[in-house]
Structure formats: structure tokens, C-alpha cells
Amino acid sequence: MWMDTKVEVEEGGRRSSSRWWRVTGGLLLCTGDMEHLDKFMQEMPFVLQLAEWGLRGVSRVIFANNPLSGALILATLCWASPWQGLLGTLGVLASTLTAVITGQDSAEVSGGLHGFNGMLVSLLMGVFSSAGDWYWWLLLPVCLGSVLCIFLYTGLSPLLDRWDLPVAVFPFNILILLYLLCTGPDNPYFPHYLTTPPGLPEHNGTELMAVEVTRGILLGVGQIFACEALGPSLLILGAVLLYSPLLVAHALLGSAVGTLAGLSVAVRHDSLYSGLSGFNGALGCMAIGELFFTYSWRTHLFAIASAFISAYSDIALSNLLGTVGLPACSWASTLTVTLMTGSLAAYRIPIGQVMAPEHNLRSRSEWEAADRESTDV
Amino acid sequence: MWMDTKVEVEEGGRRSSSRWWRVTGGLLLCTGDMEHLDKFMQEMPFVLQLAEWGLRGVSRVIFANNPLSGALILATLCWASPWQGLLGTLGVLASTLTAVITGQDSAEVSGGLHGFNGMLVSLLMGVFSSAGDWYWWLLLPVCLGSVLCIFLYTGLSPLLDRWDLPVAVFPFNILILLYLLCTGPDNPYFPHYLTTPPGLPEHNGTELMAVEVTRGILLGVGQIFACEALGPSLLILGAVLLYSPLLVAHALLGSAVGTLAGLSVAVRHDSLYSGLSGFNGALGCMAIGELFFTYSWRTHLFAIASAFISAYSDIALSNLLGTVGLPACSWASTLTVTLMTGSLAAYRIPIGQVMAPEHNLRSRSEWEAADRESTDV
Amino acid sequence: MWMDTKVEVEEGGRRSSSRWWRVTGGLLLCTGDMEHLDKFMQEMPFVLQLAEWGLRGVSRVIFANNPLSGALILATLCWASPWQGLLGTLGVLASTLTAVITGQDSAEVSGGLHGFNGMLVSLLMGVFSSAGDWYWWLLLPVCLGSVLCIFLYTGLSPLLDRWDLPVAVFPFNILILLYLLCTGPDNPYFPHYLTTPPGLPEHNGTELMAVEVTRGILLGVGQIFACEALGPSLLILGAVLLYSPLLVAHALLGSAVGTLAGLSVAVRHDSLYSGLSGFNGALGCMAIGELFFTYSWRTHLFAIASAFISAYSDIALSNLLGTVGLPACSWASTLTVTLMTGSLAAYRIPIGQVMAPEHNLRSRSEWEAADRESTDV
């Protein structure tokens, strides 16, 4: 029912004009990729278009592609911390604008593909800064970093194209490490916190609390936006639900798998409670399970495997980078998904046709129906 | 004589029925790639087939491809340490089975190409574990690591295929580092030893003993299987001799070159005595000199160069990774061979046709004979 | 006027036979790529040819391709330090000879493309050695390193060819790190200095001196040859001026940009004064601005961006590698230029046709004239 949004709405309108149908229809119009918006936006002024591209970019961070999800996420971030909200908005706008000015592919720009790296760089610069909120000088590296994301994107794109791999969040991961390395913890202009590796043994061995761990699984979704509060994490989950309920299921499943992986090698409790153990698993699970592949039990298995590999790699990389005080960001899930995309090429949906998982599901059943028909004839 | 095994045996059988011929014939049937076994095995039950694939996988670690060599090596490992023998067996079976289940190319599976990474991961996990032998929980990461080897293999394969490069032991090298990084030295479940970099200066400057260094050259071959005793190392050399005497010569030459390289930059005596300085040289020398290329004086030179580069790179990488307590495994020889394979593409035997060096040698002389004939005509 | 060297000289000769024209003509013959020399050299004995290839290799370090510039630079290095001059000469000759012996492409050899990596490795080995000048044992690693450069070059070449990228100074950067890692600071045979990361906070906070910083910008050009004196740096600039005045402008611009980047993240004063902050910016600016692309305002912008990215990456990498006492060499600019080359493929001059920037400029205006004519017709 969810999948055939437009068709159902039209039919529903014809069948009955009750108030219920109109409300559901309106809601359903806001779900999925909202492709119908594109035609409508083409006649709008540039500022509104830019806003739509930016909001799509915000939702792209969590593998969604829906401006309303993006708006809800941005509002949530502003609620959790207005300063972080400002940085995120600036980042996504700066990188989208740079992409427009340097003349990148317009389909990519309007799909928000040039916004999410800039947003992530900005958010993480804000989170790691030890100069406190509203430290205005931080806007300089934030803008520079967002602009450089586009340069890195266009530089990496031809390299990865050889294997038909997406650039994903490689620019963000590279830039945030370079920024943190450039400015040490004691930098007079841009000081930042050192990261503690998750494998560091704890001396005051407290009991592990099940409630806190469960909370950590939910926080794992918020950590994708570097947000460590329960309310905002739930709202972000709600925003993803608007795009696709299947994606929410995979996000929670991946976060749980990541937390399980963390438990199995005894990482610090802190890391479990804050959701840091879970977010790479969530990213790995969402990417494989939903966006790249059609839905089948095999894809489901691969998604869980991807979550486990992402989570273990993240612990390993965090321990390695933690020796020099650096975070592992989402290197683990990005590398895992890149490698798995290569190995699962046979099951993959062509990059241009990736849409909301529900849509992919429908296409698959449609394809099969089409296949059956052609066989019958 | 060695090369024309089958032909000679048949002819020998016809020419004389003396006991000597039968013994030699039987022995010669067990050397080289033992291709004749494949046809015979196809009618055997699956368990026996799996055993043959596994044993081929064991011998693949040291660039051989002969189930009897594999059996001899496995028996040697069990003799040196029953626990290590168990881990190795489990690793090679787990990864070969995973390859069968996930439907990898059957020629690759039956050639043992999906077994050696799993075996190496398992052996090294056992060697680095500081929880002692018969610590049954270790079987969990051993199985998981062996299974993941196949995932990494299929992920890396399309990437390296672009340059027609083999995946080699990249999965093993990646996974063992990730495992050691995941579980630090003080991990409550899976503790492990820290590695000391070979370049660390020695304070109690003892004299270098020539006998011990010579012993280290022999141990360098055993270290390929993480085995540090003289008897087993000699038996492993014997198992390789069964496959190809040329390979043994290159293994010893490479180990000697590696030890020489270690002497030239004054690594710790310990590293020379234990064979750790030699095994990357041995791997580099064997890979270039025998498996990838036909035999000529130029290949011989390249093999020695490869041994030197592998050995020096290994010292460098060991010193680098040693700063965070990690071993360099066989990264040095794997990278060196990968690079040299690219630069020596002109001399290379196509991947599918690589066989025992003696066979390659014969093919080359046959090719040349064929060339001459075609020119004459 | 500068650009149409040969044409002008011939015309000048016809129009007037005054002494002024002959002097200018002679001077102009020595500028640019000096292609006319190639035909002349083909009949010379091998030793003279080798010398020309070597000198072109010396000038290639700083993106020039002119044997006279090379000779001037080599003389400058000998003046600054005879020992360094000897090492550099040995390095460039050893690697060029290896390329000749192993049968590399003759056009690449005669263009000096197989000399500059060897020279850089040798110079840096000398600079980092803490055993003092005229430590003759150092000639062993110098020769070995120069020879290995060719092996690495031929190994990396097919890998990078897939994206039509040049090998650049990757072999040098890899080999010098391997050498420094092999031989630690306390090595009994080849001891070397540890590198201090530029981001280390300074405890005795002295005032920053503008004069010294300006001097650092000039020294940034000398640092490309690991030379830290003002006189030689100016002479090197003179040698580049002989090849192309535009290249000099970009070298100074890049060095200034690099110093600015260093100031913006408060690196150690020492790093600014010695030119170490500037040289990666200079390399990045020269490579993008001049050699790979035709001259336009857009290329100019990209060159400045490249200088900034190179400089910031260099600070980041220096801080990272500095934690284990290693220098970042020119990794930053090499990686930046490699990535940008990929992203700016549309503006790029095909590798085989890259010449002095003035020549590229002329070709572009010629192309445009040709275009206009064909449109008019």
C-alpha cells in the first residue's frame, strides 16, 4: 500500500472524497523520493530550489532523499543545539553552492549529492571544537571545508568510476581527518578534543546496564549526525520513517548489531552508551540492505554481514587512530560498503535508478511480473 | 626428467616392469600439481573432495599446489603444536566451505584458492593470542575471520582484476591487523601479545652468532606458517620439495637475502635468529621467481631483487606498525610482488596457466620448440 | 616575444645582423624546452647524452625541462654543500643509467623522467643523515635507492596509467619513508634525525618576524631541493626563470600561499622561517598552474586552490607522520595534484604535449586562431 503512493491516491480520490482519504493522500505524497516535487520546483526562484537541494542533501546523510525528512532533521539538529544547526546549514549550503558555481552535473546537484559531505564536515568540526559554541572564527574552516568537499568529490569521482563505485562520504572522512591533524588539541585558533580509543581498558569496572545499552542503540542513529541526545535521535528516526519504514528497520538493526559487536570485544561502556559503537553498523546495514540492492532474504543476510564487518572495522580503526587522538568517523562503514558493493555487483541496482527501498521492492516485483507475462506469451 | 612425470611413468611402465620403476613412478605421480588427481576426485564423496581442496589450500600458503604437500605441512604443524594444527585445519575448512556455500568459482575452490587466507588468519590468531593453548573461545574469532576472508576476497577481486593482479594474501593481512586492533593486549576476552619492532636498539650488545643466523635462514621458511622450530621448518621444506625443487631453492635463497638485508640495517639479533627477517624475502623470491614467470636468468635477477625489496620493506613496515604494537605480517612481500607483477607484465604467465615451476619451464621450452618449428615451416 | 623564440630569432637574424640580436638570440635559444638540442645530441657520444638526460632530470624536480637550468641548479647545490651536490649527481646518474639498462622507453629517458626521483631520494638521504658530510657508507643506500626508484616507477606506472595519471614523485616519497623507517634514529650504520611536527606548540612564545617570513617564502623554493640557504634558493629561482618566467611567478605565489596557510593554523615559527611551510604549496601551484594546463583565469584560480590544499594537507600529514618522527616530504602536493588532475581532466594538456608554459600559452592562442579561421570559412 505504501509503495503505490501516487496510483493509490488518484484511485482513492476517484473512489471516495472522504476526508480520511485526503489526509492519507497528502501524507503519502510526502513520503518516498518525492519525485513529483522536482517538476513543480523547476519554475520556482533559485533560492527556493537551492533550499530544496540543500534539504535533500541533509537527508542524504542518512541515505534518504526527501526534502521534508531533511527539514525535519535540520529542525531537530537546531533544537538539540542551535550552533550545530547553524554549522550544518552553512555547510550544506556552501558545498551545494560551490557545486552550482563550478558547474557540476545538475541532476546530481538537485538530488542533494553535493550537500551531505559538506554538512558532515561542518557538524563534526563543531562537535570536536573545544572552543565552545558560538565561536565565530570556526565559520572559516567550516566554509573552507565545505567548499573543498566539492573539489575532493570531483577528484575522487573519476578514480572510483572505474569500478562503478559511488564517492559516498570519502570526502568528508578525508577532510575531517586533515582538519583535525592540521589543528592539534592545543592550537591557539582552532583547538579541539582528543578522541579516546574504544578499546582502552576501564579501571573502575562498573556493571554494564542493559537500559543504557538499549538507549545506545537508539543513539546510534543520532550519532550519524553527531547528535548524542535521545529526543533528537528519535525525531531523526521519525524523519527517516517518512522516507521509508524499511530504512528505519535496517538502521535500528544495524545499530543493534554494532552494539553487539562492541560487547563481544569488550569496548568501553561509554562507547556503548553514547551510540558510538552502533552508528557505523547502522550505516553499513542501511547502505547494503536498502539503497544498493533489491529486497530479498539474501540481501538481508548481506546487510547484517555488512553491519558486523562495519562495526568490527570501526572498533579496529578507532583503536588505531585513537593512538594519535583521532576519531575513525565513518571510514569503517564507507570502506566496507565500497568493498561489498564491488563483490555484490550482480545484485546491484544501477546507481541512477536507486530510489526509496519500497520503490526498489516494487520495481523488482514489477520486473518479475513483466518477466512472467513475457514467458506466458 | 622431473618435469615429464606422467609421460615418463607411462613410458617407463611399458619399457620395464622392474620394481624400481614402479616406486619412482609412484613417487613422481605425487609431485607437481597432481592434475591427474582432479579427474579421480570428481567421483568421490563431497567430504573427500573438501579435504583435497583444503589440503591444496594449505600448500597454497607457500605457493605450492599439491594435496600431499598440504597434508605433510598440516601434519608438521600438528606435530609442532596440536592446538595450532587444529586452528589451521579449522581455518582452511571454514573458508573453503564458505566459498562453496556462497557459490564462488568452482575451479578456484577446487584449486585451494579460497583456503589459504583463512588458514593464515587462524594460525596467526593462535600465535598472537596470549591466553595460552586450548583457549576454546578463540575458535569464535577463528571461524569468523576465516569466513570474512571470503568476503574480502570477493570484494578485492574486482578491484585488482582491473590490472589483472591476483588477490594473494591481502585478505589475511587486512583481517589479522583488524583483529589485533579490535582486541588490544589487555582485552578481557581475546588478549594478545604486542609485537616489538625489529629496529629497536639492543642494550646488552651480545655478539652475533653465525650458527644461529644460518638456523634463522631455515626458520624463515617455517615462519611462513608462523612456526618457529627447526624440525618442522625442515619438514615444510621437504613438503615443498615434493612439489618443486626449484621452489625450495628460491625459498632458501629468499630467506638468506632477507637475513642479509636485516644484517645490513642492524636489526635485533632476535629477529635474525627467529627467521622473522627472512620470511618476507622468501615469499617475495618464491612468488616472482617461480610462480608468475618462466625461468630465465632475467627472472632469476628479478626474484633476488624482489627478495631484497620485500625484506627492506618488511623491516620498514615492522618498525612503523611496531610503534603501535602490531606485526607487519606479509604486507611487505604482498605489496612488492603486486607492484612487480605490474611492472613485469611482459614476462608473466597468464594467471590460469600458472603451474609448478618445472612445468612452466617445460612449457617455455615447448613453446620455443613450437615457435622454431613454425618458423622452419 | 618570449614565446616565439625560434621564429623571432630567425626573423631577427634576417632583419638585422646587429650584435644585440645575436646575444638575445643566443639567450633565447637557451630558454624553454630546448628541443633543438635533441637533434644535435643524437650524434654525440653516450656519456654526453647521459649528461644531458641527467641535467634534464635535475630540472624536472622543479617542473622545468631544460639542461641548462639543470646544470645551474646542480652547480648551486654543489656550492651550497659539495657533499649534497655529489649525492644528487650520483642519484640522478644511477637512476638514469638503470633506466637505460633495464630498457625503459627512450623518449622518457632522454626527457629526464627517470632521473628526478633518484636525485630527490639521494638528496633527502643526505639531509636526514645525522652521520655528517662525507660519510662514504651513505653512498650504498643512495645508489640502491636510486636504482629502486626505477623499479617503483615501472611498477606504479601501469597502475596510474588506468586514469592517465603521471607517476610524478610517488617513488621518491615511498622510498624515502621506507629508508627512514628501516634505519631508525639510533641505527649504528645509517643514523638519521627525527622530524619535529610543525603543529607542536612553542613554549617560548617569541614574536613572529615579518622579514624572516618573507625570507621563508623564498627559501620555500630552495626547500624543493632540500636546500635551506637564501643565496642558492635565489639561484634556483634564476634557473627556473631561464626555463619559464611564468613558472617562477607560480613558484613564489605557491610558496606565499603555503606560508599563509601555515600562519592560519599557527605552525611553529621555525617551520615558517625555514621555508618548509611553503614548498608543498609551491609544488602544487606550479604543477597545476603551468605544466598540466593551458593558461586562463580559471587555471590560475585552480592553481591557487591547489597551493592551499597542498599546504594544508602538508601540515596535516607532517603532524601525523611527525608522531613517529617521519617527514611528510612532498606527499601532500603529489596527492593533491594527482586528485586535481583527475578532476580537471577537461582542461588538461595531453601528457606527451606538455612543454614550457609559454609554449602551452602560444599553442592555445594558435588553436583559438585556427578555430576562428575555420569558423570564418
Side-chain angles (χ1 to χ4, degrees), chain C residues 49-285:
Chain C
Q49 284 188 318
L50 185 67
E52 194 224 341
W53 302 339
L55 290 175
R56 278 192 193 270
V58 172
S59 67
R60 282 274 183 187
V61 171
I62 199 161
F63 299 107
N65 179 12
N66 180 316
L68 284 183
S69 297
L72 187 50
I73 291 169
L74 205 56
T76 308
L77 290 178
C78 287
W79 169 47
S81 155
W83 172 239
Q84 284 288 95
L86 171 69
L87 290 184
T89 314
L90 192 65
V92 78
L93 286 181
S95 63
T96 307
L97 257 179
T98 310
V100 171
I101 291 169
T102 56
Q104 304 302 322
D105 182 61
S106 69
E108 287 189 351
V109 172
S110 64
L113 280 173
H114 287 290
F116 62 93
N117 276 299
M119 177 168 195
L120 280 169
V121 167
S122 311
L123 286 176
L124 269 287
M125 280 183 179
V127 164
F128 284 109
S129 167
S130 60
D133 284 4
W134 311 109
Y135 176 69
W136 294 103
W137 286 110
L138 199 65
L139 297 190
L140 271 180
V142 157
C143 286
L144 190 62
S146 306
V147 169
L148 286 185
C149 275
I150 302 303
F151 275 86
L152 262 180
Y153 195 99
T154 53
L156 290 172
S157 189
L159 296 190
L160 291 163
D161 254 9
R162 286 267 151 183
W163 297 285
D164 202 21
L165 292 172
V167 175
V169 285
F170 278 115
F172 149 67
N173 280 311
I174 294 170
L175 277 174
I176 194 72
L177 282 193
L178 285 181
Y179 168 72
L180 293 177
L181 276 168
C182 263
T183 65
D186 309 313
N187 192 278
Y189 307 147
F190 308 111
H192 61 77
Y193 298 112
L194 285 178
T195 312
T196 327
L200 217 69
E202 283 172 308
H203 294 293
N204 50 343
T206 50
E207 277 290 296
L208 195 70
M209 282 171 291
V211 180
E212 290 283 302
V213 172
T214 317
R215 201 168 153 267
I217 293 176
L218 291 171
L219 287 182
V221 179
Q223 282 288 6
I224 294 172
F225 288 92
C227 173
E228 216 178 300
L230 189 59
S233 295
L234 289 174
L235 267 180
I236 289 171
L237 270 176
V240 181
L241 190 72
L242 192 65
Y243 175 67
S244 147
L246 276 175
L247 200 55
V248 172
H250 271 88
L252 289 175
L253 183 69
S255 189
V257 163
T259 307
L260 199 66
L263 282 171
S264 76
V265 293
V267 301
R268 285 183 302 117
H269 294 176
D270 195 34
S271 175
L272 294 171
Y273 296 165
S274 66
L276 280 174
S277 295
F279 86 97
N280 263 288
L283 286 172
C285 194

Side-chain angles (χ1 to χ4, degrees), chain B residues 226-282:
Chain B
C227 174
E228 215 179 301
L230 189 59
S233 295
L234 289 174
L235 268 180
I236 289 172
L237 270 177
V240 180
L241 189 71
L242 193 66
Y243 175 67
S244 147
L246 275 176
L247 200 56
V248 171
H250 271 86
L252 290 174
L253 183 69
S255 188
V257 163
T259 307
L260 199 66
L263 282 170
S264 76
V265 294
V267 300
R268 284 183 304 116
H269 294 176
D270 197 33
S271 175
L272 295 171
Y273 297 164
S274 66
L276 281 174
S277 296
F279 85 97
N280 264 288

Side-chain angles (χ1 to χ4, degrees), chain A residues 28-48:
Chain A
L28 286 178
L29 270 174
C30 303
T31 62
D33 295 294
M34 290 183 73
E35 282 183 304
H36 49 276
L37 197 68
D38 283 347
K39 213 178 277 175
F40 176 71
M41 288 302 290
Q42 276 171 1
E43 292 152 23
M44 291 285 130
F46 177 72
V47 178
L48 277 184

